[in-house]
Amino acid sequence: MEESVHYKDHITGPSSAMRRPWVRAAAGLAAAGALLAGGATAAVAAPAGHTQYHRHSPAIKLVVTNPRPGDIAGAGGDFTVDLIAQAQNARGNNLLSASNGYRPGLNLPPAATFGPGQPDPDAPGLVVTLSTTPQAAGGPNANLAGVFQLNSVSSHNGLTRVINDWEVGVPGFFGTNTRATLTAFLVRGTAPGMVTGHERPISNVIHETFTIGG
């Protein structure tokens, strides 16, 4: 599956105060990861505190390839997050299709699409939160998908794979020598800027704790 890469390098209006800390962000590093086997448990998003759980077999399996649970990630508060969304069947292929907005692309500052509290323009259903997100960026319920810089799309055995990468652009902004919990999942359509706890995931939901390196 090949598509042209889209660059978000324009400004459509004044940057908000929330977006200012991100102006120095660097382009994300491409990453490849191995998919993990196993069952999936879906849940409505965790940070807001109204979590509900229900079993099903989602058509998309989401995997965090970096960092892994218990890792010390990066150094000096500079770390990367790499995700893979893998379709499990034809329905998953449709959900991750270009017609639903999933495509290769770079999302970089000072583009208006770059910043916390908004969706990723090339992976619109992605939701990622971090427990150490400061209030200056919206707090722990802010969707950080909008700061993922690099998105790529491939196909493996006829099943679509979407890879999303984020490198922190302001070292220490999310803490140093700090334990953090990453929550990630996909929703249908466009993800919210702020997680309420009432989202309806279309993938498994990941809750992973790691340490931001000092």
Side-chain angles (χ1 to χ4, degrees):
M1 180 181 300
E2 297 183 357
E3 300 181 47
S4 60
V5 175
H6 297 260
Y7 294 85
K8 285 76 185 173
D9 57 359
H10 61 284
I11 304 176
T12 59
S15 296
S16 67
M18 182 180 292
R19 197 175 293 123
R20 289 177 190 140
W22 307 90
V23 173
R24 293 175 290 164
L29 303 177
L35 294 176
L36 303 180
T41 300
V44 181
H50 297 288
T51 304
Q52 302 174 10
Y53 295 90
H54 49 93
R55 296 275 183 179
H56 76 305
S57 297
I60 300 169
K61 183 174 179 62
L62 188 63
V63 177
V64 178
T65 60
N66 186 67
R68 302 297 301 140
D71 280 1
I72 298 175
D78 185 2
F79 61 96
T80 62
V81 175
D82 305 315
L83 307 175
I84 295 177
Q86 174 71 64
Q88 302 296 291
N89 48 41
R91 180 169 177 268
N93 279 349
N94 180 62
L95 291 169
L96 294 176
S97 66
S99 63
N100 283 321
Y102 292 85
R103 59 189 182 186
L106 289 172
N107 185 37
L108 304 173
T113 54
F114 184 89
Q118 55 185 340
D120 186 323
D122 298 310
L126 180 63
V127 177
V128 180
T129 64
L130 196 64
S131 62
T132 59
T133 300
Q135 290 302 318
N141 289 337
N143 185 4
L144 299 178
V147 300
F148 277 67
Q149 300 112 333
L150 178 62
N151 298 289
S152 61
V153 179
S154 63
S155 181
H156 179 69
N157 292 332
L159 296 174
T160 300
R161 176 185 292 171
V162 177
I163 303 171
N164 313 107
D165 300 307
W166 168 38
E167 180 181 7
V168 173
V170 183
F173 189 76
F174 293 91
T176 57
N177 289 320
T178 303
R179 285 173 63 83
T181 298
L182 178 78
T183 298
F185 57 93
L186 293 172
V187 297
R188 187 185 299 274
T190 300
M194 298 295 294
V195 174
T196 65
H198 298 289
E199 289 73 24
R200 299 180 63 84
I202 59 172
S203 72
N204 58 307
V205 178
I206 293 170
H207 302 299
E208 175 186 301
T209 301
F210 66 98
T211 298
I212 300 172

